[in-house]
Amino acid sequence: MVKVLDTILSQSAYSAQIDVPLEKIDIADWLFNLPEAEYLRCCPPDHIAAGVTWTDDGRRMSINVEQIGSGLVVQHYVAEVAEPAYCRMNSISDVFTANGRTQVNVVWELIAEKIDDRRTRYTNKVTAHPTDAFMTFIQDRGVTYEDAAAARQAAGGDHNRRETPLFAASIARRALSK
């Protein structure tokens, strides 16, 4: 079992406007029917692969492979909440670096909020928490938590800033195609 620490390693939230009414948006439908090619278009060249599956106990799961900073990250997002206007996905993510492999806990929140009768605000919020494996990994390599957190914040924030408007546009396309 992976122990997740109650400390924030990094956190970012970016928003983009969708010119579609909230009532037409279904983030859960978009997320669990997202073709891999569309996922790749949502943050080139960082997005590498995506797929959907189920956990052993029947919960929906999104698998994402992406480059965040210098790390190759395999996200195993399990749906904690999967609704039209809000999804909360939780992953013990494998991170492959030049210095070895570790794990972080990533919580991905996808949020749609009504602006008016024609527009929706999409917010993409990503919060990473260290795991016990991550803390051992940085300690064994002589990296301070502050330095690791600063690097993760810079890389994760940059990635989220670039993918959010492309996710919003993809969600809009899905909504308008129905």
Side-chain angles (χ1 to χ4, degrees), residues 7-122:
T7 304
I8 292 178
L9 180 60
S10 65
Q11 186 172 58
S12 65
Y14 289 91
S15 296
Q17 180 176 301
I18 300 174
D19 293 326
V20 175
L22 177 64
E23 296 74 29
K24 290 189 173 219
I25 301 291
D26 190 334
I27 294 174
D29 173 69
W30 169 80
L31 180 60
F32 293 108
N33 291 289
L34 182 64
E36 184 176 63
E38 180 70 359
Y39 175 76
L40 299 180
R41 287 188 286 271
C42 287
C43 196
D46 296 4
H47 286 183
I48 297 166
V52 295
T53 188
W54 302 89
T55 63
D56 282 345
D57 62 1
R59 293 176 291 160
R60 289 190 282 184
M61 189 175 192
S62 173
I63 306 292
N64 300 341
V65 180
E66 53 193 349
Q67 186 79 33
I68 299 179
S70 62
L72 177 67
V73 185
V74 180
Q75 315 273 16
H76 311 267
Y77 285 116
V78 176
E80 293 180 340
V81 179
E83 299 171 349
Y86 179 72
C87 289
R88 179 183 167 93
M89 308 296 290
N90 197 326
S91 172
I92 299 299
S93 300
D94 295 298
V95 183
F96 298 85
T97 74
N99 296 313
R101 177 180 177 180
T102 189
Q103 292 181 317
V104 295
N105 173 229
V106 182
V107 177
W108 179 24
E109 294 175 273
L110 303 87
I111 306 158
E113 301 169 292
K114 183 176 187 167
I115 296 173
D116 59 31
D117 289 342
R118 296 174 286 121
R119 299 175 301 154
T120 301
R121 177 182 307 104
Y122 170 70

Side-chain angles (χ1 to χ4, degrees), residues 110-176:
L110 303 87
I111 306 158
E113 301 169 292
K114 183 176 187 167
I115 296 173
D116 59 31
D117 289 342
R118 296 174 286 121
R119 299 175 301 154
T120 301
R121 177 182 307 104
Y122 170 70
T123 300
N124 200 61
K125 182 178 180 182
V126 180
T127 305
H129 301 276
T131 63
D132 54 350
F134 178 83
M135 296 304 286
T136 299
F137 179 84
I138 63 172
Q139 181 180 4
D140 289 352
R141 285 151 184 83
V143 177
T144 67
Y145 181 78
E146 292 75 19
D147 287 347
R152 170 69 188 171
Q153 182 66 44
D158 174 65
H159 179 85
N160 191 7
R161 175 188 57 78
R162 290 181 293 114
E163 78 182 353
T164 297
L166 299 174
F167 277 160
S170 180
I171 292 166
R173 284 190 297 276
R174 176 80 178 176
L176 293 171

